[in-house]
Amino acid sequence: MSIRHTTKARRGAAVGALAAALALAVAGCGSDDGKKPDDGAGQKSTAAKDSRAGDDGDGKDSEPAADSDKTIGEIKGPNGIVVTVHSAVRDGGGFVTVNATVTNRGDQLFNAVDWRSKETEMKSRSSVSGASLVDSAGKKRYLVLRDTDGECLCTTGLSGIKPNESRPLFAQFPAPPSNVTKVDFQIPTMPSVSIELTG
């Protein structure tokens, strides 16, 4: 009789301990002062905003390109498409970031399908992934960088640009040697423009 009561008591204690551990685990999962969901949501919306810059379809919420009050070069292409280059800045990581604005001065919608690279794995069908920097003196061409997913480090979603609409544009390249101060910025189907590197 006493053995049965001891076994039942041990089982009861084990079940009680298991229930307490489970309750603590469930409570631990939910207690983070609500910070993680807010932080995650904030990061997600910021990333979405960054990736959508110049990619909102109607252009109403597009943010201007960096240094948009400054012009270091201008490319006039077919059908009234104009690319105004605002800056080409070296950074400490060995990159050059070109910031520009594309403006449709024509009378029909513009899609930058011809500006993408010829790579078949590129996800975006309308980007400046085919752009390049050319160091004529050094006889070298620098292509737009790619991220770990194979997408370009450049503006994507350049489609449906209406007449008289402007969108910000950027592209990031490997930096030429420090003694190179001028390069040609090229976009497929457009003439090239000589720009000065800063930074």
Side-chain angles (χ1 to χ4, degrees):
M1 204 63 149
S2 63
I3 293 175
R4 259 188 214 168
H5 286 303
T6 304
T7 304
K8 284 183 180 179
R10 283 185 185 163
R11 283 184 188 159
V15 170
L18 182 60
L22 186 59
L24 284 173
V26 170
C29 287
S31 69
D32 212 357
D33 297 334
K35 289 181 182 174
K36 275 193 180 175
D38 290 345
D39 292 346
Q43 290 172 357
K44 188 172 184 180
S45 83
T46 301
K49 183 178 178 185
D50 290 345
S51 68
R52 271 185 37 223
D55 188 17
D56 56 3
D58 60 7
K60 291 179 183 173
D61 297 325
S62 294
E63 295 179 13
D67 301 324
S68 59
D69 56 337
K70 181 180 176 185
T71 299
I72 64 169
E74 187 174 76
I75 304 170
K76 293 183 179 179
N79 302 317
I81 301 302
V82 177
V83 175
T84 306
V85 184
H86 305 297
S87 64
V89 182
R90 295 176 184 270
D91 67 21
F95 308 114
V96 169
T97 302
V98 174
N99 284 292
T101 301
V102 57
T103 303
N104 184 354
R105 293 186 183 154
D107 56 5
Q108 51 191 312
L109 285 177
F110 173 70
N111 297 310
V113 175
D114 293 331
W115 290 3
R116 69 177 187 224
S117 73
K118 305 236 185 270
E119 298 169 72
T120 55
E121 64 272 7
M122 292 295 292
K123 294 174 187 171
S124 177
R125 294 182 52 81
S126 53
S127 69
V128 287
S129 59
S132 61
L133 295 180
V134 177
D135 171 13
S136 299
K139 297 181 180 178
K140 288 192 177 179
R141 177 182 298 272
Y142 299 88
L143 305 178
V144 176
L145 292 167
R146 307 295 190 249
D147 65 17
T148 54
D149 294 326
E151 192 57 83
C152 72
L153 295 179
C154 66
T155 301
T156 60
L158 286 171
S159 60
I161 303 176
K162 299 175 184 175
N164 300 315
E165 180 185 352
S166 294
R167 301 251 189 107
L169 180 152
F170 88 94
Q172 198 167 47
F173 305 88
S178 57
N179 63 329
V180 176
T181 57
K182 284 196 174 183
V183 292
D184 290 333
F185 178 56
Q186 297 183 338
I187 297 175
T189 73
M190 302 280 280
S192 63
V193 63
S194 180
I195 57 174
E196 189 169 347
L197 302 179
T198 59

